[in-house]
Amino acid sequence: MSTRLSLSKRASVRVRTTTGIAALLTALVVALLPLPATTTSAQAADASRPAGSAVTVTGKKGKYDDFSSLEVTVHQTEQLRAQGVRVSWTGAKPTETGFRHNYLQLMQCWGDDPAGPAREQCQFGGSGLTSGGGWTSLRQIDGAPDPAETQYVGNGQGESYVPFHPANGDAPTTGSRDWTYFGSLDTNEEPYGITHADGTGEFTFPMYTDQEADQLGCGAPVKQGSTVKGRSCWLVIVPRGDHDVDGTAGGAATPLLSSPLTASNWAQRMVVPLDFLPVGNSCPADRAERRVTGSELLTDAMSSWQPALCSAPGGARFAFSQSGEGGARDTISRPAAGAPGLAFTVDPVDAPADGPDVVHAPVAVSGLAVGFFVELPDAGQLTSMRLTPRLLAKLLTSSYQKDVTRSRREIPEHVKDNPPSLFHDPEFQEINPEFKDWGPTSLPPMSLMVQLANTDTTRMAWQWLRSDREAKEFLSGTADPWGTKVNPFFANIGLATDESVSDFPKADPTRTTVTIDGATLEYGTTDVAPYVQDMHDGALRTRRGNNLETTTPAAGSNGSPAKLVNTPPLPGERMVLALVDAASAARYGLQTAALRNADGAFVTPTTGALLAGVATMKKSPVPGVLGTDPGAAKGGAYPLTSLVYAAGFTNTPAADRKDYAGLVRYAVGAGQAPGVSPGQLPPGYAPLPASLRTQALAAADRLQNAEESGEDGDSAGAGGSGGGDGAQSGGSAGGGSTAGLDGGAGAPGAAAGSGDPAADPDADASPDASATPPDPDKQNVAESGGLTPSTVLGIIRWVLLGVLVAGGLAALSGPILLRLSARKSGPGSPGVI
């Protein structure tokens, strides 16, 4: 055959060349096209919010007080879950000292009437008001006579009250102090929403779902046709003025005595509808169940991802059980039928020398935070706080007087020379100067709440304290410059030296004795500061303003013995702190303390600070897995940043591994888009850097394809890394994944190559955190990031550009290769055209 191209072939080459050039010119035009002029940051934030989310309602003129200038905004009313929701208002009269007049009362209610709930359907009255030394339930409506009240006068034994009717159809309450459904320890009502001198106010209301309060039923799954929705509820705001329901104008010494549920006050109510996401796992029962266990840091993310994971064709039903990371690692190391096969962990899983490989895939960036809800008597809510490692060490070792006893007279000898509380500590006042003018107070903050479980994040907290010279010396027994010393019961238990400590001990055995009605009662440090069930529980207790301490003696009644009880603090006296995960802090709208890092900068857990924290992490003993290094956090890095890995063994059943790989692909793909909708990344997390997404995708491929690629435990080096080699994973991290949970969800923005640590398990795995996404911490509690229409168009533009360029180059390369082939091949050679 001739070495020259035939005429027909040459014509084909001309056509291909023309097509290629046209494609490249088209690509150039597409690249230069302007995007729609709708890409400002403010518009992007608004676009990410649920449609119609913020609702503003206006008050009206009453018989005695005029509320027509009052405007109340509820900043999220759709796609709600158990969370904090910001409520703000303007145009109100300032609240007087002592909360005697001019405040708002807020309550969550159920009810199916489109016009709003009845007062019998509202959760209110668990708290109360104090008058003349007595305590009155706020479901009781005879505190002041109401001429408009006719329905419930004298309906109890010596009292008038509005019964509560639960949503679940159970019997209504039978008295104003019937705590069958809710009481002072678990109500979410706000009896005193404080208005400032400028007529504005703000409060973060803790919304309950059917799981926290089945008597309200909010979010309970309701089937509507082929879809399942959450049951709707209501937020009711009752404004209170200068007058009581009988027209009495309250003086400085006379508080309002009536309940918001009495007829005249109820007539002034403002009603806002609330739309809840369905509670529970609504995944079809016929889907294969895959059990997952591990770190609480992933609880919020998994609760968001689960509905999206099971809604995809062939998607699995993932059942996530929260546990300490150590227990999760142990669980997947001992596989059993029906047991979890994937663990979320911070510290890596150690693969046995003669066993199968372990795959580690980074899936989320979050961290620990000191969340707080602090109200100063005359200054309102505290919005910022700074803490040093040594101050946190004092809180964790019961080194303040009030962390050991609430008694004013019986201060134990071993802490009597220490400050009464954190707020009295000169070190705290030096870096928080607003407290210097506050002066001594009988209202110290409640002790820092911590969880009982052993966790990787607890170990990280102690690691941070040991990395700081001042904190380590304090834990070792050295007094601070003001003379404060560590509680001696904590001085010799290894906190300053033992790197394995992963719990928060309460080592002080002191007991305080109190007497009441001849009965002798005792309480200790676990009663002063009870452990919380988990960090979510700690955040919720903080949002309520009550750590549930039981140190108040109560006399016996009706044959019951005297006992120690919890006394809920009044508004203006709520001072609660807890060590929680950043996601729970964001979920309940808590303020978070700025922690001092290694450079001396005070940093809060914003998105940028968390990503900077990841960038400072060190390589762990397991290649390709980053280890926490809070002492290395410098610049803008947050010291208590955590990177969570999904870890699984390669010898689990192939079908399980396929689904677990799909979970990872979704988590690092669509699951990294910040937002409050199901499937998105909730506030309190930072989106994974692209390098870590690439590493996770490679790990997912390796986990799924372990048997096909012969990696059942015979590649120890890369197996321990879990990240694998992007070029050897059996699929391209950048383009080998497909949309769909059974095959894996792609990861937008995850670029392969370019020195990625996934491509070299022994390389420095610290990602580049220079590209910081918008910070959700600077947005409203109920707002979050997301893709705006112009962002989507931008993505489409560049995808189209890539296709056109690839097509153009392919069209041009064909003729070139043909010509090269013709020149290099001799007569009779294979491939000669």
Side-chain angles (χ1 to χ4, degrees), residues 19-95:
T19 303
I21 293 173
L24 290 175
L25 289 174
T26 304
L28 178 62
V29 172
V30 171
L32 295 177
L33 283 174
L35 289 175
T38 56
T39 57
T40 67
S41 58
Q43 290 166 328
D46 288 341
S48 70
R49 291 174 55 186
S53 181
V55 171
T56 299
V57 290
T58 304
K60 54 189 175 183
K61 183 177 176 60
K63 185 176 181 180
Y64 303 113
D65 293 293
D66 186 3
F67 302 108
S68 56
S69 297
L70 173 64
E71 290 188 349
V72 179
T73 299
V74 181
H75 291 262
Q76 183 183 349
T77 61
E78 297 184 358
Q79 297 183 343
L80 294 169
R81 52 183 182 150
Q83 65 177 85
V85 171
R86 180 180 169 227
V87 181
S88 62
W89 57 92
T90 61
K93 291 186 67 174
T95 303

Side-chain angles (χ1 to χ4, degrees), residues 513-548:
T513 301
V514 293
T515 58
I516 184 170
D517 291 347
T520 300
L521 307 171
E522 286 187 346
Y523 66 82
T525 56
T526 54
D527 302 300
V528 171
Y531 282 112
V532 297
Q533 179 179 338
D534 53 27
M535 292 186 287
H536 179 276
D537 180 41
L540 179 55
R541 291 195 200 181
T542 303
R543 180 73 275 155
R544 291 174 181 161
N546 190 351
N547 76 341
L548 302 188

Side-chain angles (χ1 to χ4, degrees), residues 409-425:
R409 296 182 297 273
E410 302 177 19
I411 307 298
E413 187 70 20
H414 61 281
V415 292
K416 71 179 182 64
D417 293 328
N418 287 354
S421 75
L422 172 69
F423 292 168
H424 295 84
D425 191 330

Side-chain angles (χ1 to χ4, degrees), residues 78-455:
E78 297 184 358
Q79 297 183 343
L80 294 169
R81 52 183 182 150
Q83 65 177 85
V85 171
R86 180 180 169 227
V87 181
S88 62
W89 57 92
T90 61
K93 291 186 67 174
T95 303
E96 298 177 8
T97 300
F99 314 103
R100 298 178 181 276
H101 312 97
N102 299 309
Y103 48 83
L104 303 187
Q105 297 182 303
L106 297 85
M107 63 197 82
Q108 188 174 343
C109 312
W110 69 277
D112 301 324
D113 188 334
R119 52 183 173 168
E120 297 86 355
Q121 297 169 318
C122 292
Q123 182 162 289
F124 197 87
S127 57
L129 59 83
T130 302
S131 176
W135 187 91
T136 303
S137 166
L138 288 176
R139 289 202 82 84
Q140 191 172 335
I141 57 174
D142 50 11
D146 182 0
E149 182 61 56
T150 58
Q151 185 175 5
Y152 291 118
V153 175
N155 63 322
Q157 297 179 350
E159 65 171 1
S160 301
Y161 70 95
V162 176
F164 174 75
H165 293 251
N168 56 19
D170 289 346
T173 55
T174 57
S176 67
R177 301 194 187 197
D178 182 345
W179 312 130
T180 300
Y181 303 109
F182 59 89
S184 62
L185 299 183
D186 56 5
T187 186
N188 63 342
E189 66 197 68
E190 175 50 39
Y192 300 102
I194 303 169
T195 301
H196 306 304
D198 62 356
T200 67
E202 183 172 318
F203 184 76
T204 301
F205 190 89
M207 293 292 177
Y208 284 2
T209 69
D210 184 63
Q211 290 185 332
E212 293 78 28
D214 64 352
Q215 66 270 13
L216 294 174
C218 307
V222 177
K223 193 164 185 179
Q224 296 183 356
S226 60
T227 63
V228 176
K229 297 191 64 177
R231 185 174 189 173
S232 298
C233 278
W234 305 86
L235 183 67
V236 171
I237 306 104
V238 178
R240 307 301 299 273
D242 290 308
H243 298 80
D244 223 326
V245 289
D246 58 356
T248 302
T254 307
L256 300 177
L257 299 177
S258 59
S259 165
L261 301 180
T262 196
S264 292
N265 290 327
W266 186 250
Q268 299 296 120
R269 70 191 181 279
M270 305 159 75
V271 179
V272 177
L274 305 173
D275 177 67
F276 281 80
L277 295 169
V279 173
N281 192 339
S282 57
C283 192
D286 61 349
R287 299 293 174 89
E289 182 176 88
R290 304 291 181 233
R291 295 187 60 194
V292 186
T293 186
S295 178
E296 184 178 359
L297 293 178
L298 250 289
T299 298
D300 263 34
M302 275 299 293
S303 67
S304 175
W305 295 339
Q306 281 172 326
L309 285 164
C310 79
S311 64
R317 178 188 180 96
F318 290 96
F320 172 63
S321 58
Q322 179 182 296
S323 70
E325 294 88 350
R329 289 190 291 270
D330 185 66
T331 296
I332 66 166
S333 298
R334 294 178 170 83
L342 194 73
F344 291 127
T345 182
V346 176
D347 294 341
V349 177
D350 291 326
D354 57 349
D357 286 351
V358 181
V359 172
H360 291 89
V363 291
V365 176
S366 190
L368 294 187
V370 177
F372 64 90
F373 176 26
V374 174
E375 294 175 318
L376 306 185
D378 298 317
Q381 290 187 27
L382 189 70
T383 58
S384 63
M385 179 189 298
R386 292 181 169 190
L387 291 177
T388 65
R390 182 166 56 197
L391 285 171
L392 186 61
K394 294 173 183 178
L395 289 166
L396 292 175
T397 57
S398 302
S399 293
Y400 295 118
Q401 296 176 11
K402 297 300 182 183
D403 291 346
V404 177
T405 181
R406 292 302 189 193
S407 173
R408 298 181 182 180
R409 296 182 297 273
E410 302 177 19
I411 307 298
E413 187 70 20
H414 61 281
V415 292
K416 71 179 182 64
D417 293 328
N418 287 354
S421 75
L422 172 69
F423 292 168
H424 295 84
D425 191 330
E427 180 181 4
F428 179 81
Q429 293 181 354
E430 183 174 81
I431 60 175
N432 297 278
E434 58 269 36
F435 283 87
K436 289 184 177 179
D437 298 329
W438 190 28
T441 177
S442 60
L443 303 172
M446 296 181 183
S447 304
L448 180 72
M449 291 186 288
V450 294
Q451 62 177 332
L452 179 61
N454 292 64
T455 68

Side-chain angles (χ1 to χ4, degrees), residues 465-823:
L465 301 188
R466 287 191 298 271
S467 73
D468 180 83
R469 178 184 57 81
E470 294 177 350
K472 185 173 184 178
E473 290 178 350
F474 179 82
L475 291 172
S476 299
T478 303
D480 73 4
W482 300 271
T484 303
K485 292 184 178 181
V486 68
N487 184 325
F489 291 105
F490 291 82
N492 299 310
I493 59 175
L495 298 179
T497 57
D498 188 354
E499 296 183 0
S500 67
V501 176
S502 60
D503 67 331
F504 294 116
K506 292 186 182 292
D508 192 325
T510 301
R511 307 291 295 177
T512 299
T513 301
V514 293
T515 58
I516 184 170
D517 291 347
T520 300
L521 307 171
E522 286 187 346
Y523 66 82
T525 56
T526 54
D527 302 300
V528 171
Y531 282 112
V532 297
Q533 179 179 338
D534 53 27
M535 292 186 287
H536 179 276
D537 180 41
L540 179 55
R541 291 195 200 181
T542 303
R543 180 73 275 155
R544 291 174 181 161
N546 190 351
N547 76 341
L548 302 188
E549 69 171 71
T550 52
T551 59
T552 303
S557 61
N558 300 324
S560 62
K563 60 183 179 179
L564 294 168
V565 299
N566 172 265
T567 301
L570 295 174
E573 301 177 5
R574 293 177 289 197
M575 305 179 189
V576 191
L577 302 89
L579 190 61
V580 300
D581 60 299
S584 291
R587 179 172 184 164
Y588 286 103
L590 302 181
Q591 304 293 341
T592 55
L595 305 182
R596 192 184 70 192
N597 67 12
D599 268 351
F602 287 91
V603 187
T604 55
T606 62
T607 295
L610 290 171
L611 290 176
V614 173
T616 65
M617 289 182 176
K618 63 183 179 182
K619 293 184 288 186
S620 76
V622 175
V625 178
L626 294 172
T628 56
D629 190 9
K634 297 181 178 180
Y638 184 69
L640 295 184
T641 301
S642 294
L643 176 59
V644 184
Y645 287 85
F649 282 89
T650 57
N651 67 335
T652 54
D656 294 27
R657 284 187 284 105
K658 179 181 178 183
D659 288 336
Y660 289 140
L663 187 159
V664 170
R665 292 184 184 113
Y666 183 88
V668 303
Q672 291 299 310
V676 297
S677 298
Q680 294 184 313
L681 189 69
Y685 296 93
L688 278 171
S691 61
L692 291 179
R693 296 192 194 188
T694 300
Q695 181 178 349
L697 290 171
D701 288 342
R702 188 171 170 280
L703 179 64
Q704 178 173 341
N705 302 321
E707 291 183 349
E708 289 102 343
S709 58
E711 296 176 3
D712 291 322
D714 49 333
S715 58
S721 75
D725 188 324
Q728 302 174 7
S729 61
S732 168
S737 300
T738 59
L741 298 178
D742 53 344
S754 66
D756 195 295
D760 182 2
D762 296 315
D764 183 359
S766 298
D768 179 8
S770 59
T772 303
D775 187 356
D777 300 275
K778 295 181 181 178
Q779 302 175 19
N780 185 295
V781 170
E783 295 175 348
S784 61
L787 295 177
T788 64
S790 57
T791 304
V792 174
L793 287 175
I795 294 172
I796 294 173
R797 178 179 72 175
W798 292 111
V799 170
L800 178 59
L801 176 62
V803 172
L804 290 171
V805 170
L809 291 176
L812 290 174
S813 64
I816 293 172
L817 292 175
L818 287 172
R819 292 180 185 275
L820 288 175
S821 175
R823 283 200 298 266

